[in-house]
């Protein structure tokens, strides 16, 4: 699964590459801060970090147009950031503050930002996959030219809704890109204990759907496949399932931190960290140490300001409890 970095990177400006690097660091810092804020009691319920999966969010969203649409799971903070959501409003939502994207009523697992095409992150495993199929179908019928991308985990691919969506989206050729982040675990269950075949893409083959396996820790590889799938979908040729092989560092959620980590697995996970890998690729391409450092510093500042904004924001007022709950007829 090696990519020809030089070939892909040739078509991308250095400014854009630096912005990817900044985004990956912003996501990492955002998640690290979320874990810390959770441990201090500022986040109620739970929060699910996407540490080590940053290349998938950034590589995929780089292939999208600003008005393309995105749906994700509870592990969706990074994907929202990569799609353009404001880390301040995201962090405020994680902390259930009135200034958050859903006015503090959604929390970490229910993020929504229509202005950036983010049609929701979802706490129910696989529930958003058919919704994404419907969103893509609506764009097709309305001829808007938009593509919908849907992120989910390997565990979600055992749910019936996943198969139903593969079938109908392929039958109707809807503009949908399905991104499976195969991080090997569904909570504590390893894929080898829950999946009948080693590759999730085998399921797409059963429906005649275009599919690809990529190294999810290589941002260039993800970008290349995502771009090709997005172009395929926008051209009216239907969906693609991309399986990004990746890892999930040690924890399902901030709550279960460290409960079942195995030192050998931990070492293997650390070795495939997508951020130092991208850093090395950028240096080999001639970008300079100080340029990368500037992006790292900027990412830290963005997240520090997001945390300050969230901590200084008020909780929703009791009077607002029933606001935005019912649709107006
Ligand atoms: C329908 C449903 N079943 C069970 C759960 C409990 N649950 C939450 S996350 C999760 C694991 C999902 O794993 P995967 O799809 O691989 O995604 P990951 O968490 O690894 O990103 C489970 C079983 C749920 N939220 N919804």
């Amino acid at each position: 699964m090696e990519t020809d970095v030089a070939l892909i990177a040739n078509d991308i400006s250095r400014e854009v590459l630096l912005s990817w690097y900044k985004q990956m660091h912003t996501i990492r810092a955002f998640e690290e801060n979320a874990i810390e804020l959770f441990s201090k009691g500022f986040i109620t319920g739970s929060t699910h970090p996407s540490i080590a999966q940053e290349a998938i969010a950034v590589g995929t969203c780089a292939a999208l147009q600003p008005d393309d649409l995105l749906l994700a799971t509870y592990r969706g903070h990074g994907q929202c950031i990569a799609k353009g959501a404001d880390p301040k409003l995201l962090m405020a939502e994680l902390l259930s503050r009135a200034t958050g994207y859903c006015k503090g009523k959604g929390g970490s697992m229910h993020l929504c930002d229509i202005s950036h095409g983010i049609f929701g992150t979802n706490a129910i495993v696989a529930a958003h996959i058919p919704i994404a199929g419907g969103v893509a179908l609506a764009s097709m019928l309305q001829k808007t030219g938009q593509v919908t991308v849907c992120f989910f985990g390997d565990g979600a691919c055992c749910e019936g809704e996943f198969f139903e969506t593969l079938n109908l989206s392929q039958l109707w050729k809807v503009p949908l890109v399905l991104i499976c982040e195969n991080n090997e675990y569904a909570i504590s269950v390893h894929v080898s204990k829950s999946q009948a075949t080693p590759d999730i893409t085998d399921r797409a083959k059963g429906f005649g759907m275009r599919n690809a396996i990529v190294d999810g820790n290589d941002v260039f590889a993800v970008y290349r496949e995502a771009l090709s799938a997005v172009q395929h979908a926008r051209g009216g040729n239907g969906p693609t399932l991309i399986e990004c092989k990746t890892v999930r560092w040690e924890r399902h959620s901030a709550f279960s931190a460290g409960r079942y980590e195995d030192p050998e697995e931990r070492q293997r996970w650390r070795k495939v960290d997508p951020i130092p890998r991208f850093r090395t690729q950028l240096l080999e391409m001639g970008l300079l140490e100080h340029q990368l450092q500037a992006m790292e510093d900027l990412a830290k500042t963005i997240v520090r300001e997001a945390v300050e904004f969230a901590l200084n924001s008020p909780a929703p007022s009791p009077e607002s409890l029933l606001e935005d709950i019912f649709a107006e007829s």
Side-chain angles (χ1 to χ4, degrees):
M1 287 195 283
E2 281 295 299
T3 43
D4 191 338
V5 172
L7 210 63
I8 301 170
N10 261 345
D11 296 334
I12 309 167
S13 74
R14 286 168 179 238
E15 287 69 31
V16 169
L17 290 173
L18 283 171
S19 77
W20 292 5
Y21 188 68
K22 182 192 78 188
Q23 275 186 353
M24 284 170 73
H25 271 282
T26 305
I27 296 170
R28 177 72 54 101
F30 188 94
E31 301 291 43
E32 286 170 348
N33 276 269
I35 293 167
E36 200 188 325
L37 289 163
F38 178 85
S39 73
K40 290 180 177 164
F42 285 105
I43 297 176
T44 51
S46 192
T47 192
H48 304 76
S50 63
I51 291 180
Q53 300 180 201
E54 297 89 346
I56 303 172
V58 172
T60 302
C61 291
L64 298 175
Q65 294 297 320
D67 68 341
D68 285 335
L69 307 168
L70 181 151
L71 289 90
T73 71
Y74 44 85
R75 205 179 297 291
H77 315 155
Q79 293 141 7
C80 293
I81 291 173
K83 187 69 174 61
D86 183 341
K88 284 185 179 162
L89 306 197
L90 284 176
M91 195 57 93
E93 191 56 45
L94 263 65
L95 268 62
S96 306
R97 304 298 167 120
T99 51
Y101 268 117
C102 301
K103 301 183 187 171
K105 295 176 196 167
S108 162
M109 296 194 258
H110 308 103
L111 304 166
C112 191
D113 171 15
I114 300 296
S115 68
H116 289 99
I118 299 166
F119 275 32
T121 63
N122 205 305
I124 304 302
V125 173
H128 64 305
I129 303 177
I131 299 173
V135 169
L137 176 64
S139 301
M140 187 175 93
L141 295 176
Q142 291 165 1
K143 299 186 174 37
T144 64
Q146 289 160 300
V147 170
T148 298
V149 65
C150 180
F151 294 92
F152 48 89
D154 41 278
C157 301
C158 297
E159 296 271 0
E161 295 142 295
F162 171 67
F163 293 87
E164 292 164 23
T165 308
L166 291 188
N167 182 47
L168 285 183
S169 62
Q170 175 64 16
L171 179 67
W172 295 335
K173 300 273 185 291
V174 305
L176 179 65
V177 178
L178 296 158
I179 306 277
C180 174
E181 300 192 90
N182 184 350
N183 63 14
E184 301 180 357
Y185 280 96
I187 305 190
S188 53
V189 180
H190 191 263
V191 275
S192 59
K193 299 222 165 53
S194 64
Q195 313 275 342
T197 65
D199 298 324
I200 304 293
T201 49
D202 288 340
R203 291 155 202 202
K205 291 172 194 162
F207 294 96
M209 184 184 286
R210 190 173 179 273
N211 60 89
I213 295 177
V214 296
D215 179 346
N217 294 345
D218 179 351
V219 69
F220 287 110
V222 175
Y223 171 71
R224 181 181 61 187
E225 281 306 330
L227 186 63
S228 161
V230 166
Q231 287 170 345
H232 182 81
R234 215 183 302 282
N237 303 303
T240 300
L241 171 66
I242 301 177
E243 178 179 358
C244 300
K245 303 274 192 191
T246 184
V247 295
R248 184 201 71 199
W249 280 15
E250 74 194 56
R251 54 190 106 211
H252 168 68
S253 67
F255 177 72
S256 52
R259 293 248 176 111
Y260 44 80
E261 60 193 81
D262 162 336
E264 270 180 36
E265 278 222 301
R266 192 179 197 173
Q267 232 186 1
R268 181 172 65 83
W269 292 336
R270 293 295 189 276
K271 274 195 196 145
V272 295
D273 188 339
I275 296 186
R277 179 171 176 175
F278 187 35
R279 188 175 216 285
T280 305
Q281 289 165 332
L282 293 176
L283 290 171
E284 283 169 4
M285 287 163 50
L287 279 115
L288 302 174
E289 190 75 43
H290 75 87
Q291 293 175 305
L292 303 184
Q293 188 61 51
M295 293 300 114
E296 291 168 30
D297 294 344
L298 187 54
K300 280 195 192 120
T301 304
I302 290 169
V303 175
R304 195 182 54 245
E305 288 176 0
V307 173
E308 279 166 16
F309 174 80
L311 287 173
N312 291 323
S313 292
S317 66
E319 298 76 52
S320 70
L321 193 65
L322 295 180
E323 283 170 15
D324 306 313
I325 302 294
F326 302 106
E328 294 191 10
S329 57

